Amino acid sequence: MSTLRHLVFFEFKAETDELAIQEVCDAFGALPGNISEIQAYEFGLNNSPEGLAGGFTHCFQLTFRSEADRDAYLVHPEHKAFQRIADPRVKQVMVFDYWTEQKSKG
């Protein structure tokens, strides 16, 4: 079964300290408990040795069952409140959504 992945990448402003970054990460991590349309959540820090992250350091992955669920999340009051926390601290955001495709090995 295909699922909709919503990837969000952050590059924080140089003046954003570790405490403020943690507040953003904690606020993002609280969204799945407050927005029922989110089916799964993952978070991680870039650790690629390739040097191709373009300044992005943090990645958040949300999983949705449908585009309607994703669209409901985008306008949800909890998501809007999160954006008010993140926006002043984030230099750049990249969002990438895709439907998963399953391919077998071999």
Side-chain angles (χ1 to χ4, degrees):
M1 181 173 130
S2 186
T3 57
L4 181 61
R5 302 276 197 240
H6 176 76
L7 303 177
V8 180
F9 301 89
F10 284 163
E11 176 185 2
F12 286 93
K13 294 177 182 175
E15 65 271 16
T16 305
D17 64 27
E18 290 301 317
L19 180 60
I21 291 172
Q22 189 60 52
E23 288 173 356
V24 171
C25 294
D26 291 346
F28 208 137
L31 293 178
N34 295 316
I35 302 175
S36 62
E37 289 82 4
I38 298 172
Q39 298 302 303
Y41 166 83
E42 291 183 11
F43 158 79
L45 298 174
N46 178 51
N47 74 347
S48 174
E50 295 178 288
L52 300 173
F56 293 101
T57 56
H58 293 66
C59 178
F60 305 85
Q61 177 182 285
L62 303 176
T63 301
F64 298 97
R65 287 193 182 117
S66 68
E67 291 175 5
D69 283 355
R70 186 255 337 258
D71 295 348
Y73 151 80
L74 292 174
V75 299
H76 194 284
E78 292 290 332
H79 181 243
K80 295 296 184 182
F82 163 73
Q83 288 175 318
R84 288 190 293 276
I85 294 168
D87 286 351
R89 299 166 174 168
V90 173
K91 176 180 178 182
Q92 185 174 212
V93 178
M94 181 173 65
V95 176
F96 191 94
D97 293 357
Y98 67 95
W99 283 100
T100 60
E101 293 184 27
Q102 303 299 319
K103 304 268 184 186
S104 61
K105 289 184 175 183

